[in-house]
Each structure stands twice: as structure tokens, then as C-alpha cells.
Amino acid sequence: MATAGEGLLAIESKVKQLERAYEQYFLGSRPRAPQRLRDEVQKLFHQQLARPIPNTALRFRFGSIHSRFQTFKRRWDNTLREIENGTYKRHLFKAGLHERERGIAQRDAPKHQGKAAAGGPRDLFEDYRDAALACGQDVTALTPERLERVVARQAVAVREKLGCDEVDFRVVVEGGRVKLKLSARR
């Protein structure tokens, strides 16, 4: 039978091993959460709790290791819950990267030419609204008329600045924000 000090060393090394295993799982290096190792650590804690620890320093050390493990458990459970709900930040970031690679988040809508566009300002409005929703922006105050006024104002400014007759505009996402890009048609 191991002494209390040796038992604490074993528990401490298992907790560190479990911590590394969970980090690997959260980073995507492991296919599954290390539930078997977690159960083994739980069992070691229960066994240690059943034995009296005569030394005050060892009792304090055991309490520290146990509270550290409890903190890790709460953090791991919260992260697992976020993964299940689809709100885990690392996964959201990776999903955003994949969407940008496929061109989903980087919405370069078909070019619209003023009010004479193929579908008119309504298509531009829908493209803008869809891109804003994909970026998580609030679109409650967005209306086709409001967007049309902004586009008209910007088109006039570009025409005056560059001295052109026609202005092309498109919906783009830059830095997680939806923007309208205007350019003079040559």
C-alpha cells in the first residue's frame, strides 16, 4: 500500500496528464474527450478521501490538488457545453475561416449598376442584409429605402469626385463588417 505522499504524487501527475489530454481534445488533436482518464482520476480522489491523512502539510496539499481539479472540471464541462451548443469560440473561428475559404462570408455580390441593376436595389438590399446577418450584425433598422438613400448619396459623391456617368457597387465583408464598395465604371 502506498503512503499518503506517494498517493498525492500519483494523483497530481494524473491531473496534469488529464489537463494535457483535455487541451489536446479542445485543440482538435484527440478525437474524443478523455473520459476514461477523468473517471480514473475521480476514482483516485475518492480512494484518497477514504483514507485519513495524518500530516497537516499533506492534507493541505491534497486540498489544493482537489480544488484545482474541481476548477478544471468546471472549465472542461463549460467548454464541452459550448461545443455541444455550437458556441465554442475556437470552433466558431475555424468555421469562419472555412467559410471565407469557400467564399461564404466574403460575399462579393454581383455588381449592381445604380437603380438600373438587373434586380434593382432590392437585390442589393437582400445581398447586404444576408451578409450582415452572416456577420452577426443587427439589421432591425435596415430597410430597402434607407439603403437606397445611402447608395444614392455615395454614388453622387463618387460621380462628382471621379467625373464618371456610371457607378458600380458591390457588397463586401471586411474585418467582420459588411460594407458597400463603389467604383466608377470606365
Side-chain angles (χ1 to χ4, degrees), residues 4-175:
E6 292 170 345
L8 288 179
L9 280 175
I11 290 173
E12 194 169 25
S13 69
K14 286 287 186 181
V15 168
K16 286 180 183 177
Q17 182 182 355
L18 183 61
E19 182 183 4
R20 282 191 303 271
Y22 264 107
E23 281 302 314
Q24 288 173 350
Y25 170 68
F26 294 143
L27 290 172
S29 300
R30 293 177 63 112
R32 279 180 251 117
Q35 189 59 44
R36 185 175 292 159
L37 183 58
R38 184 173 174 165
D39 292 341
E40 185 180 326
V41 172
Q42 284 279 109
K43 186 177 178 183
L44 287 173
F45 272 112
H46 287 298
Q47 289 173 350
Q48 190 65 40
L49 283 170
R51 288 189 228 141
I53 303 175
N55 187 328
T56 306
L58 291 178
R59 265 197 312 263
F60 179 79
R61 186 166 164 209
F62 174 75
S64 297
I65 295 168
H66 190 258
S67 65
R68 188 166 153 235
F69 176 66
Q70 295 299 328
T71 303
F72 282 142
K73 273 181 27 178
R74 275 192 297 279
R75 186 183 318 152
W76 296 331
D77 291 341
N78 287 338
T79 304
L80 290 171
R81 198 173 307 110
E82 286 177 0
I83 289 172
E84 287 177 12
N85 294 335
T87 59
Y88 186 48
K89 289 182 182 179
R90 288 182 183 170
H91 288 183
L92 290 175
F93 178 74
K94 284 182 183 179
L97 287 177
H98 292 304
E99 286 177 354
R100 275 185 236 117
E101 285 175 4
R102 290 188 307 239
I104 294 171
Q106 182 66 30
R107 307 264 322 221
D108 281 337
K111 290 185 178 183
H112 301 273
Q113 293 86 26
K115 294 183 181 179
R122 290 271 178 208
D123 286 342
L124 178 67
F125 171 74
E126 290 172 9
D127 291 340
Y128 188 90
R129 184 191 62 216
D130 292 345
L133 287 172
C135 290
Q137 288 180 253
D138 182 27
V139 293
T140 54
L142 182 66
T143 64
E145 295 77 24
R146 182 179 253 174
L147 183 65
E148 189 176 342
R149 281 194 305 266
V150 170
V151 167
R153 218 179 9 230
Q154 289 180 358
V156 168
V158 169
R159 282 188 196 115
E160 288 175 2
K161 182 178 179 182
L162 300 178
C164 63
D165 294 331
E166 294 293 323
V167 177
D168 294 333
F169 44 93
R170 58 194 164 98
V171 177
V172 296
V173 177
E174 288 181 356

